[in-house]
Amino acid sequence: MSQNILKTLAAIGAAFAMSAGSADAQTYPTRAVTVIVPFAAGGPTDVIARIVGEAMGKTLGQQFIIENVAGAGGTTGIAKGAAATADGYTIMMGHMGTHGAAPALYKNIKYKPDQDFEPIGIAAGTPIVIVGRNNYPAKTLQELVAKLKADGDKANEGHAGVGSVSFTTCTMFNVMAGAKPARVPYTGTGPVINDMLADKLDYACDQIVSVASQVRAGTIRGYAIATDKRSPALPDVPTTTEAGLPDYKVSAWNALFAPKGTPKDVVAKLTDALDKALSDAATRKRLEDLGGVIPEGKERGGAHLASFVKIEMDRWDKAFKAGGVMPN
Ligand code: ASP
């Protein structure tokens, strides 16, 4: 074939691919969307993904299917999501750990939180609650701090892996409390709470949404919530200020991301569906009953999330450097 014919064929092919691309975006989604959750089922990231995914699926007319890909503090699942085909059929729920703290803790992390994603939007803020097994002989935060100081590594703490929210926020708590517990890694805080219910773990620092029902039911103890005000979801749990550790204030967040290169109009549809989910009364109630803090106004959408990720990466990088914590 002559060069000219080849060129013409290539041009037709390219034009066809382009029009097919935009038609795809118009009809998106035509099949189920997979949401990678980088932790075990039953933990906060999983719970939030299921709640907003259900509502987004209704808006977009397709199911949102959760795929739990746990490991390495959430970085395994996010690396998988970052490498997925950028067509809007695989997205992921990242959080303050995977997209904020983890890069400062892992030298060989396979993605850059601020470069390798198309941010969709924050799904929920999640205050940290210090929780413990129900029969642990420390009834208040002050008693917990005293006991942990005295017991050293006889006490054990469960977390969701280096770089996860529970790991990062309990690292802070342990430093402030002078605690040096045995730190036990899990694939998520869903299994941490299960082992706490089975009396195998003494305490943890977890996001409110996975502990609120158990604390309300009295099956695990809520020592304190690390916010300025009590949560309406846990009205009986004192703030860290009330409980005597006022400097311990920390809230996490969970947010949806698509892989870099996902078509802009597809990302826009996802952002719009998330926005509608967060304005839907039934979805709001489900999140708020668990203590989730719903982003409002400017806090919604991809542009805000993009700048927020940069701020969080910087914040954790500085915090770990100041604390002499090195990546490994
Ligand atoms: N968000 C994690 C989970 O869903 C836990 C963590 O980061 O601590 O299990």
Side-chain angles (χ1 to χ4, degrees), residues 60 90 117 137 186 227 236 273 292 313:
L60 292 174
T90 305
F117 303 92
Y186 286 76
T227 43
D236 297 333
M313 288 173 71

Side-chain angles (χ1 to χ4, degrees), residues 39 43-46 95 160 164-166 188-190 207:
F39 295 99
T45 307
D46 181 76
H95 75 345
S164 67
V165 165
S166 44
T189 51
Q207 298 165 70

Side-chain angles (χ1 to χ4, degrees), residues 73 101 105-106 157-174 183 185 189 205 320 325:
L105 293 171
Y106 288 99
E157 171 223 319
H159 63 79
V162 173
S164 67
V165 165
S166 44
F167 174 86
T168 306
T169 58
C170 245
T171 303
M172 285 167 65
F173 171 71
N174 291 338
R183 307 194 72 186
T189 51
C205 307
F320 288 130
V325 180

